[in-house]
Short mmCIF file of all heavy atoms in Angstrom, two decimals:
data_model
loop_
_atom_site.label_atom_id
_atom_site.label_comp_id
_atom_site.label_asym_id
_atom_site.label_seq_id
_atom_site.Cartn_x
_atom_site.Cartn_y
_atom_site.Cartn_z
N CYS P 471 76.89 -43.43 -57.34
CA CYS P 471 77.25 -42.11 -56.86
C CYS P 471 76.49 -41.07 -57.66
O CYS P 471 76.68 -40.96 -58.87
CB CYS P 471 78.75 -41.87 -56.98
SG CYS P 471 79.28 -40.20 -56.54
N ALA P 472 75.63 -40.34 -56.98
CA ALA P 472 74.83 -39.31 -57.61
C ALA P 472 75.38 -37.93 -57.26
O ALA P 472 75.40 -37.55 -56.09
CB ALA P 472 73.37 -39.42 -57.19
N ALA P 473 75.83 -37.22 -58.26
CA ALA P 473 76.34 -35.86 -58.08
C ALA P 473 75.21 -34.87 -58.22
O ALA P 473 74.39 -34.97 -59.14
CB ALA P 473 77.44 -35.56 -59.08
N SER P 474 75.17 -33.90 -57.32
CA SER P 474 74.16 -32.86 -57.38
C SER P 474 74.21 -32.13 -58.71
O SER P 474 75.28 -31.88 -59.26
CB SER P 474 74.36 -31.87 -56.23
OG SER P 474 73.51 -30.75 -56.37
N ARG P 475 73.04 -31.80 -59.22
CA ARG P 475 72.96 -31.01 -60.45
C ARG P 475 73.52 -29.61 -60.26
O ARG P 475 73.72 -28.89 -61.23
CB ARG P 475 71.52 -30.96 -60.96
CG ARG P 475 70.99 -32.29 -61.45
CD ARG P 475 71.68 -32.71 -62.73
NE ARG P 475 71.18 -33.99 -63.23
CZ ARG P 475 71.56 -34.55 -64.38
NH1 ARG P 475 72.44 -33.95 -65.15
NH2 ARG P 475 71.05 -35.73 -64.73
N SER P 476 73.78 -29.25 -59.01
CA SER P 476 74.40 -27.96 -58.73
C SER P 476 75.88 -27.94 -59.09
O SER P 476 76.49 -26.87 -59.14
CB SER P 476 74.24 -27.60 -57.25
OG SER P 476 72.87 -27.46 -56.91
N ILE P 477 76.46 -29.12 -59.30
CA ILE P 477 77.86 -29.21 -59.71
C ILE P 477 77.91 -29.14 -61.23
O ILE P 477 77.38 -30.01 -61.92
CB ILE P 477 78.52 -30.50 -59.23
CG1 ILE P 477 78.40 -30.62 -57.71
CG2 ILE P 477 79.97 -30.55 -59.66
CD1 ILE P 477 78.96 -31.91 -57.14
N PHE P 478 78.56 -28.12 -61.74
CA PHE P 478 78.64 -27.92 -63.18
C PHE P 478 80.03 -28.25 -63.72
O PHE P 478 81.01 -28.28 -62.99
CB PHE P 478 78.28 -26.47 -63.54
CG PHE P 478 76.90 -26.05 -63.13
CD1 PHE P 478 76.70 -25.21 -62.05
CD2 PHE P 478 75.79 -26.51 -63.82
CE1 PHE P 478 75.43 -24.82 -61.67
CE2 PHE P 478 74.51 -26.13 -63.45
CZ PHE P 478 74.33 -25.29 -62.37
N SER P 479 80.07 -28.49 -64.99
CA SER P 479 81.33 -28.68 -65.72
C SER P 479 82.15 -29.83 -65.17
O SER P 479 83.37 -29.72 -65.00
CB SER P 479 82.14 -27.38 -65.70
OG SER P 479 81.41 -26.31 -66.27
N ILE P 480 81.51 -30.95 -64.89
CA ILE P 480 82.22 -32.14 -64.42
C ILE P 480 83.03 -32.72 -65.58
O ILE P 480 82.48 -33.04 -66.63
CB ILE P 480 81.26 -33.19 -63.87
CG1 ILE P 480 80.57 -32.66 -62.62
CG2 ILE P 480 82.02 -34.48 -63.55
CD1 ILE P 480 79.53 -33.61 -62.05
N ASN P 481 84.32 -32.84 -65.37
CA ASN P 481 85.20 -33.39 -66.39
C ASN P 481 85.41 -34.89 -66.21
O ASN P 481 85.34 -35.66 -67.16
CB ASN P 481 86.55 -32.68 -66.36
CG ASN P 481 87.50 -33.20 -67.43
OD1 ASN P 481 87.13 -33.30 -68.60
ND2 ASN P 481 88.73 -33.52 -67.04
N THR P 482 85.66 -35.29 -64.97
CA THR P 482 85.94 -36.69 -64.67
C THR P 482 85.24 -37.11 -63.40
O THR P 482 85.20 -36.36 -62.43
CB THR P 482 87.46 -36.92 -64.51
OG1 THR P 482 88.14 -36.45 -65.67
CG2 THR P 482 87.76 -38.40 -64.32
N MET P 483 84.69 -38.31 -63.40
CA MET P 483 84.18 -38.92 -62.18
C MET P 483 84.90 -40.25 -61.99
O MET P 483 85.28 -40.91 -62.96
CB MET P 483 82.67 -39.14 -62.24
CG MET P 483 81.88 -37.85 -62.34
SD MET P 483 80.09 -38.07 -62.19
CE MET P 483 79.94 -38.44 -60.43
N GLY P 484 85.08 -40.61 -60.74
CA GLY P 484 85.80 -41.85 -60.48
C GLY P 484 85.59 -42.37 -59.09
O GLY P 484 84.88 -41.77 -58.27
N TRP P 485 86.21 -43.51 -58.85
CA TRP P 485 86.15 -44.17 -57.56
C TRP P 485 87.56 -44.40 -57.03
O TRP P 485 88.44 -44.86 -57.76
CB TRP P 485 85.44 -45.52 -57.67
CG TRP P 485 83.98 -45.40 -58.00
CD1 TRP P 485 83.41 -45.42 -59.23
CD2 TRP P 485 82.91 -45.26 -57.07
NE1 TRP P 485 82.05 -45.29 -59.13
CE2 TRP P 485 81.71 -45.19 -57.82
CE3 TRP P 485 82.84 -45.18 -55.68
CZ2 TRP P 485 80.46 -45.04 -57.21
CZ3 TRP P 485 81.60 -45.03 -55.08
CH2 TRP P 485 80.43 -44.97 -55.85
N TYR P 486 87.76 -44.05 -55.78
CA TYR P 486 88.99 -44.33 -55.05
C TYR P 486 88.66 -45.26 -53.89
O TYR P 486 87.51 -45.37 -53.47
CB TYR P 486 89.61 -43.04 -54.51
CG TYR P 486 90.14 -42.09 -55.56
CD1 TYR P 486 89.27 -41.32 -56.34
CD2 TYR P 486 91.51 -41.95 -55.77
CE1 TYR P 486 89.76 -40.45 -57.30
CE2 TYR P 486 92.01 -41.08 -56.72
CZ TYR P 486 91.13 -40.33 -57.48
OH TYR P 486 91.62 -39.45 -58.43
N ARG P 487 89.68 -45.92 -53.38
CA ARG P 487 89.47 -46.74 -52.19
C ARG P 487 90.69 -46.67 -51.29
O ARG P 487 91.81 -46.44 -51.74
CB ARG P 487 89.17 -48.20 -52.56
CG ARG P 487 90.34 -48.96 -53.16
CD ARG P 487 89.89 -50.36 -53.58
NE ARG P 487 91.00 -51.14 -54.14
CZ ARG P 487 90.86 -52.33 -54.70
NH1 ARG P 487 89.65 -52.89 -54.80
NH2 ARG P 487 91.92 -52.97 -55.17
N GLN P 488 90.45 -46.89 -50.01
CA GLN P 488 91.53 -46.91 -49.04
C GLN P 488 91.26 -48.01 -48.02
O GLN P 488 90.24 -48.00 -47.34
CB GLN P 488 91.66 -45.56 -48.33
CG GLN P 488 92.87 -45.47 -47.43
CD GLN P 488 93.20 -44.04 -47.03
OE1 GLN P 488 92.34 -43.16 -47.07
NE2 GLN P 488 94.44 -43.80 -46.67
N ALA P 489 92.19 -48.94 -47.95
CA ALA P 489 92.12 -50.02 -46.98
C ALA P 489 92.94 -49.65 -45.75
O ALA P 489 93.87 -48.83 -45.84
CB ALA P 489 92.64 -51.32 -47.60
N PRO P 490 92.64 -50.24 -44.60
CA PRO P 490 93.41 -49.95 -43.39
C PRO P 490 94.90 -50.17 -43.59
O PRO P 490 95.31 -51.23 -44.08
CB PRO P 490 92.83 -50.92 -42.36
CG PRO P 490 91.44 -51.18 -42.83
CD PRO P 490 91.54 -51.19 -44.34
N GLY P 491 95.70 -49.18 -43.23
CA GLY P 491 97.14 -49.29 -43.33
C GLY P 491 97.70 -49.15 -44.73
O GLY P 491 98.90 -49.33 -44.92
N LYS P 492 96.87 -48.83 -45.70
CA LYS P 492 97.32 -48.70 -47.07
C LYS P 492 96.99 -47.31 -47.61
O LYS P 492 96.11 -46.62 -47.10
CB LYS P 492 96.67 -49.77 -47.96
CG LYS P 492 97.00 -51.20 -47.57
CD LYS P 492 96.32 -52.20 -48.46
CE LYS P 492 96.85 -52.14 -49.88
NZ LYS P 492 96.24 -53.19 -50.76
N GLN P 493 97.71 -46.92 -48.65
CA GLN P 493 97.46 -45.63 -49.27
C GLN P 493 96.21 -45.66 -50.12
O GLN P 493 95.80 -46.70 -50.61
CB GLN P 493 98.67 -45.21 -50.12
CG GLN P 493 98.92 -46.09 -51.34
CD GLN P 493 100.18 -45.72 -52.07
OE1 GLN P 493 101.27 -45.91 -51.55
NE2 GLN P 493 100.03 -45.20 -53.28
N ARG P 494 95.61 -44.50 -50.29
CA ARG P 494 94.44 -44.40 -51.15
C ARG P 494 94.84 -44.59 -52.60
O ARG P 494 95.89 -44.09 -53.04
CB ARG P 494 93.75 -43.05 -50.96
CG ARG P 494 92.44 -42.93 -51.73
CD ARG P 494 91.70 -41.66 -51.38
NE ARG P 494 92.41 -40.46 -51.79
CZ ARG P 494 91.96 -39.23 -51.65
NH1 ARG P 494 90.77 -39.02 -51.09
NH2 ARG P 494 92.68 -38.20 -52.05
N GLU P 495 94.03 -45.31 -53.34
CA GLU P 495 94.35 -45.58 -54.73
C GLU P 495 93.14 -45.33 -55.62
O GLU P 495 92.00 -45.49 -55.20
CB GLU P 495 94.82 -47.03 -54.91
CG GLU P 495 93.76 -48.08 -54.59
CD GLU P 495 94.21 -49.49 -54.91
OE1 GLU P 495 95.21 -49.66 -55.64
OE2 GLU P 495 93.56 -50.45 -54.43
N LEU P 496 93.45 -44.95 -56.85
CA LEU P 496 92.41 -44.80 -57.85
C LEU P 496 91.98 -46.18 -58.33
O LEU P 496 92.82 -46.98 -58.75
CB LEU P 496 92.91 -43.96 -59.03
CG LEU P 496 91.96 -43.83 -60.22
CD1 LEU P 496 90.70 -43.06 -59.83
CD2 LEU P 496 92.66 -43.17 -61.40
N VAL P 497 90.69 -46.45 -58.27
CA VAL P 497 90.15 -47.72 -58.72
C VAL P 497 89.74 -47.64 -60.18
O VAL P 497 90.11 -48.49 -60.99
CB VAL P 497 88.95 -48.15 -57.86
CG1 VAL P 497 88.35 -49.47 -58.37
CG2 VAL P 497 89.37 -48.28 -56.40
N ALA P 498 88.95 -46.63 -60.52
CA ALA P 498 88.46 -46.46 -61.88
C ALA P 498 88.00 -45.04 -62.08
O ALA P 498 87.58 -44.37 -61.13
CB ALA P 498 87.31 -47.43 -62.17
N SER P 499 88.08 -44.56 -63.31
CA SER P 499 87.62 -43.22 -63.63
C SER P 499 87.01 -43.21 -65.02
O SER P 499 87.29 -44.09 -65.84
CB SER P 499 88.75 -42.20 -63.54
OG SER P 499 89.75 -42.45 -64.51
N ILE P 500 86.19 -42.21 -65.27
CA ILE P 500 85.58 -42.04 -66.58
C ILE P 500 85.46 -40.56 -66.87
O ILE P 500 85.03 -39.78 -66.02
CB ILE P 500 84.21 -42.76 -66.66
CG1 ILE P 500 83.62 -42.65 -68.06
CG2 ILE P 500 83.25 -42.22 -65.60
CD1 ILE P 500 82.43 -43.59 -68.29
N THR P 501 85.88 -40.15 -68.06
CA THR P 501 85.85 -38.74 -68.44
C THR P 501 84.53 -38.38 -69.07
O THR P 501 83.70 -39.23 -69.38
CB THR P 501 86.98 -38.41 -69.41
OG1 THR P 501 86.71 -39.03 -70.68
CG2 THR P 501 88.32 -38.90 -68.89
N SER P 502 84.33 -37.08 -69.28
CA SER P 502 83.12 -36.61 -69.95
C SER P 502 83.02 -37.15 -71.36
O SER P 502 81.91 -37.24 -71.91
CB SER P 502 83.09 -35.08 -69.96
OG SER P 502 84.22 -34.55 -70.64
N GLY P 503 84.15 -37.51 -71.96
CA GLY P 503 84.16 -38.08 -73.28
C GLY P 503 83.99 -39.59 -73.32
O GLY P 503 83.93 -40.17 -74.40
N GLY P 504 83.93 -40.21 -72.15
CA GLY P 504 83.70 -41.64 -72.07
C GLY P 504 84.95 -42.50 -71.95
O GLY P 504 84.84 -43.73 -71.96
N SER P 505 86.11 -41.88 -71.85
CA SER P 505 87.34 -42.65 -71.69
C SER P 505 87.43 -43.22 -70.28
O SER P 505 87.21 -42.52 -69.30
CB SER P 505 88.56 -41.78 -71.97
OG SER P 505 88.56 -41.33 -73.32
#
């Protein structure tokens, strides 16, 4: 996932997923500090 350099001050990036008939869930995330 490549975020445009026009987006500033990104704190967290992550991945979500949604399967048919199921709620969207957070798969993984990473903060600007590396957590």
Side-chain angles (χ1 to χ4, degrees):
C471 175
S474 172
R475 292 291 180 176
S476 298
I477 304 177
F478 300 106
S479 302
I480 295 176
N481 182 50
T482 305
M483 296 188 73
W485 293 92
Y486 293 75
R487 69 184 182 187
Q488 187 165 22
K492 299 179 66 176
Q493 66 185 67
R494 186 172 65 177
E495 65 174 344
L496 175 66
V497 178
S499 65
I500 184 167
T501 70
S502 59
S505 297

